[in-house]
Amino acid sequence: STIGDTGKYCSLAVVSGIPCVAFQNSSMGSLELVVAQNADGSVWNTSTTVVGSGMVGGYIKLLEVGGCPGIAFEDMTASDLAYIHAKDAQGSDWDSVVLVDTPGNTGQFTSGVVMLDGRPALTTVEMFAGEVRYLLANDAAGSDWPQP
């Protein structure tokens, strides 16, 4: 996307063989995804707004989860760690946002987002307690996470 203040906190992943980029559109306060039209990324679709309310999309980590995009990100309004999973490989339909780690200042510095035993796993830092946290989803889509 080229409109406004875009591209902050971008994250690249290959999903079902196609490059995808998740990023924050700071002008709109939204989390967006753009998917290439081909495997070499020479032609791109228009970006899709994944989450458009509040100020979201900080510290984004994109990965392939069951052949679809999955995105861990900071809800910057509440400083919470959140996660969302697409229902299709193109990211045109999404599950609801899941708050993974709250309360506190938990959404910053998310790193190490990987698939482990068929489930998304990630690391994050809880800033107030100074704790590094490892979280493994309870299910393959990442719709259920344990309490840290």
Side-chain angles (χ1 to χ4, degrees), residues 25-51:
N25 179 333
S26 297
S27 296
M28 304 301 291
S30 60
L31 171 63
E32 302 197 16
L33 179 78
V34 62
V35 179
Q37 293 182 12
N38 52 28
D40 68 3
S42 61
V43 180
W44 291 81
N45 294 306
T46 303
S47 65
T48 300
T49 299
V50 177
V51 181

Side-chain angles (χ1 to χ4, degrees), residues 95-108:
D95 291 324
S96 297
V97 172
V98 177
L99 294 179
V100 177
D101 193 1
T102 65
N105 194 351
T106 59
Q108 295 182 6

Side-chain angles (χ1 to χ4, degrees), residues 14-86:
V14 175
V15 177
S16 295
I18 303 295
C20 300
V21 178
F23 62 93
Q24 181 190 66
N25 179 333
S26 297
S27 296
M28 304 301 291
S30 60
L31 171 63
E32 302 197 16
L33 179 78
V34 62
V35 179
Q37 293 182 12
N38 52 28
D40 68 3
S42 61
V43 180
W44 291 81
N45 294 306
T46 303
S47 65
T48 300
T49 299
V50 177
V51 181
S53 60
M55 187 59 158
V56 297
Y59 301 95
I60 296 167
K61 294 298 175 187
L62 171 66
L63 75 158
E64 180 176 353
V65 179
C68 300
I71 307 172
F73 63 96
E74 179 190 20
D75 176 339
M76 299 170 81
T77 305
S79 295
D80 291 334
L81 176 59
Y83 175 83
I84 192 164
H85 179 256

